[in-house]
Amino acid sequence: RFASAGDDGIIFLWNAQTGEKLFEFHGHTHKITAMASFCSSDASEEKNQFILTASADRTVIVWDCSSGRQVQKVSCFHSTVKCLTVLQRLDVWLSGGSDLCVWNRKLDLLCKTSHLTDADVSALVELPKNCVAAAVGKELIIFRLIASNDVCEGWNVLEVKRLVEHQDNILSLISVNDLTFVTGSHVGELIVWDALDWTKQASECNFWDSCVHPDVQPEIKLSQSPNETSVQHLTSDKECVFAAIGKGIYVYNLQMKRVIACQRTAHDSSVLHIEKLPNRQLISCSEDGSVRIWELREKQQLPAEPVPTGFFNMWGFGRANKQTNQAAKKMQESTPMYFLELVGDLIGHSSAVQMFLYFGELGLATCSADHLIILWKDGERESRLRSLTLFQKLAQNGDVQLKF
């Protein structure tokens, strides 16, 4: 199952296999700004799935996915909640807006921060040692949740550190593993952080220059607008970080600390969401209404050309030739070792595709500003399944004899 939400304030719950609409949740009066799901932790009862939704109407509602009913509503917020994060291990959830609030599953407010800055909390990610990282404008603020001695209080939230490495607003924040998390900003900065001591491990700011194609003449630009370099979305497979930057997709290897592949113009407009698939494939969607599937493939490295001898060296050009050879070697070292090849183009939306969910064998769900949600299936696989089902039914009815 999956849930979708829109600017109309309505949430729908869908069956990912059939596309059947299971429930329709009405309770918000303005657009939905954040969603999160969590399971009930009570061991005595059957585990139920719940959805948390936040809206521009300054409320958060908990919905029961089994019955489709509204469980509880919180309307004590001073501003819109921009992000929701469930800390399953601590059995609490966080809301981020003008404040960072900590709640229990009964929606009791356990603790909150004072007003942080002029900017709101736009993204949250869980870190080790009961910590969270919050993106607040250009700053990254590390908070620690501390269990209070007072049973009634439950938790305290303490600001531990402020990281001010970014030059512009942080748009994307992801956890790679227990040791690393990554942030991306509006002007194309990607920073890799240590999740334990919150120090900067590596950074990449010049994506346009770092992705060199020796066979393509580089485009000369006097200036680039922020939209062309903005890090809209990040995802990771533990080994690499995949970044949606402007119209392009960039693959940043964490161990090598550099871009190993890129597709500068993956779409005709900004890439809004990307996701890594298990089989070295990647899905991206864009403002231009397209959804594309890419495959990360290894380049065939060409053998280095030998240094020419003879005529030019006779006339004293050996030194210049050596410099040229070193420049060629440097160019080869900076050239990505992989490339992204387009292997699929899903055409069906007429406006910006804002997000998608990948369900493995069940397919893909995409949502767009054209008010449509589309379920995409693997045609060959679906055909085989239908044929198998048909033969099984015929065999059960005795209409067909399977001979080998």
Side-chain angles (χ1 to χ4, degrees):
R1 297 182 297 179
F2 70 96
S4 64
D7 289 350
D8 55 9
I10 304 170
I11 300 99
F12 294 106
L13 192 66
W14 307 89
N15 182 313
Q17 190 166 9
T18 63
E20 178 191 1
K21 184 170 70 178
L22 304 174
F23 292 110
E24 194 170 319
F25 301 141
H26 293 265
H28 291 293
T29 57
H30 290 73
K31 69 176 183 178
I32 307 301
T33 54
M35 295 177 72
S37 63
F38 67 94
C39 293
S40 61
S41 59
D42 193 347
S44 62
E45 63 179 34
E46 185 181 349
K47 281 196 178 286
N48 289 329
Q49 192 80 19
F50 297 94
I51 295 176
L52 283 167
T53 57
S55 167
D57 61 13
R58 299 185 182 182
T59 64
V60 170
I61 299 178
V62 181
W63 309 92
D64 188 333
C65 296
S66 303
S67 63
R69 64 184 178 87
Q70 180 178 310
V71 178
Q72 202 165 349
K73 186 175 186 176
V74 181
S75 45
C76 61
F77 298 98
H78 299 300
S79 67
T80 301
V81 171
K82 304 285 181 63
C83 53
L84 296 165
T85 301
V86 177
L87 307 183
Q88 200 84 31
R89 186 175 53 82
L90 300 179
D91 207 29
V92 298
W93 61 275
L94 311 178
S95 63
S98 59
D99 307 301
L100 177 67
C101 302
V102 183
W103 309 81
N104 64 15
R105 291 182 182 274
K106 297 177 181 178
L107 269 72
D108 299 321
L109 179 61
L110 303 178
C111 56
K112 63 183 288 189
T113 63
S114 57
H115 191 78
L116 300 166
T117 60
D118 291 338
D120 291 343
V121 177
S122 59
L124 288 165
V125 69
E126 184 178 4
L127 301 178
K129 300 180 180 178
N130 294 357
C131 290
V132 292
V136 185
K138 300 177 185 179
E139 294 184 323
L140 197 61
I141 307 179
I142 308 297
F143 294 98
R144 177 172 278 125
L145 274 66
I146 301 170
S148 174
N149 295 327
D150 187 347
V151 179
C152 297
E153 291 290 332
W155 292 92
N156 286 325
V157 59
L158 179 69
E159 182 181 320
V160 180
K161 194 173 183 180
R162 292 200 177 205
L163 308 173
V164 289
E165 296 284 347
H166 280 290
Q167 302 300 312
D168 207 336
N169 290 342
I170 298 168
L171 297 184
S172 192
L173 170 62
I174 61 160
S175 174
V176 175
N177 50 45
D178 290 339
L179 301 175
T180 309
F181 69 101
V182 180
T183 53
S185 81
H186 188 56
V187 290
E189 307 159 297
L190 183 143
I191 299 180
V192 182
W193 304 91
D194 189 301
L196 298 175
D197 62 11
W198 319 304
T199 55
K200 186 167 78 169
Q201 290 184 334
S203 64
E204 179 65 65
C205 300
N206 301 312
F207 281 95
W208 203 267
D209 298 327
S210 65
C211 188
V212 180
H213 288 282
D215 54 333
V216 177
Q217 185 68 25
E219 189 174 353
I220 299 170
K221 292 202 171 190
L222 296 177
S223 63
Q224 293 177 49
S225 67
N227 289 336
E228 290 181 333
T229 58
S230 178
V231 182
Q232 296 289 345
H233 189 240
L234 295 170
T235 188
S236 174
D237 65 353
K238 312 301 182 189
E239 182 184 341
C240 292
V241 172
F242 302 87
I245 302 175
K247 300 176 183 178
I249 301 169
Y250 295 78
V251 183
Y252 181 85
N253 186 282
L254 290 164
Q255 188 175 0
M256 298 170 69
K257 296 183 179 178
R258 70 182 185 89
V259 174
I260 60 167
C262 75
Q263 187 63 249
R264 286 182 183 173
T265 52
H267 293 266
D268 295 330
S269 193
S270 293
V271 182
L272 300 181
H273 194 82
I274 54 173
E275 206 66 55
K276 177 71 170 61
L277 306 188
N279 50 354
R280 295 178 69 84
Q281 290 186 340
L282 192 72
I283 300 179
S284 60
C285 64
S286 167
E287 280 183 350
D288 62 16
S290 61
V291 181
R292 289 176 175 168
I293 304 173
W294 308 87
E295 190 167 305
L296 187 63
R297 294 185 177 173
E298 193 166 356
K299 279 187 173 179
Q300 297 295 323
Q301 295 292 337
L302 296 173
E305 291 185 13
V307 178
T309 58
F311 181 81
F312 288 104
N313 280 350
M314 283 170 58
W315 292 94
F317 291 104
R319 183 181 178 84
N321 190 66
K322 185 177 180 182
Q323 290 174 345
T324 305
N325 193 56
Q326 286 175 344
K329 186 179 179 183
K330 189 175 180 182
M331 173 75 83
Q332 193 174 19
E333 285 174 356
S334 64
T335 304
M337 298 174 293
Y338 297 85
F339 67 99
L340 289 166
E341 183 170 342
L342 181 65
V343 294
D345 208 345
L346 310 184
I347 300 169
H349 287 293
S350 60
S351 190
V353 182
Q354 293 152 329
M355 193 181 167
F356 58 83
L357 291 171
Y358 176 68
F359 297 102
E361 291 185 344
L362 292 180
L364 181 77
T366 56
C367 69
S368 167
D370 62 11
H371 308 172
L372 290 179
I373 290 175
I374 299 179
L375 289 182
W376 308 85
K377 302 287 184 179
D378 182 336
E380 290 183 9
R381 181 179 176 277
E382 292 297 310
S383 178
R384 287 197 301 270
L385 290 174
R386 283 196 296 270
S387 299
L388 183 62
T389 304
L390 175 64
F391 275 107
Q392 286 174 343
K393 285 184 177 179
L394 290 172
Q396 287 171 3
N397 297 333
D399 296 335
V400 66
Q401 291 182 348
L402 299 176
K403 294 181 179 179
F404 298 97

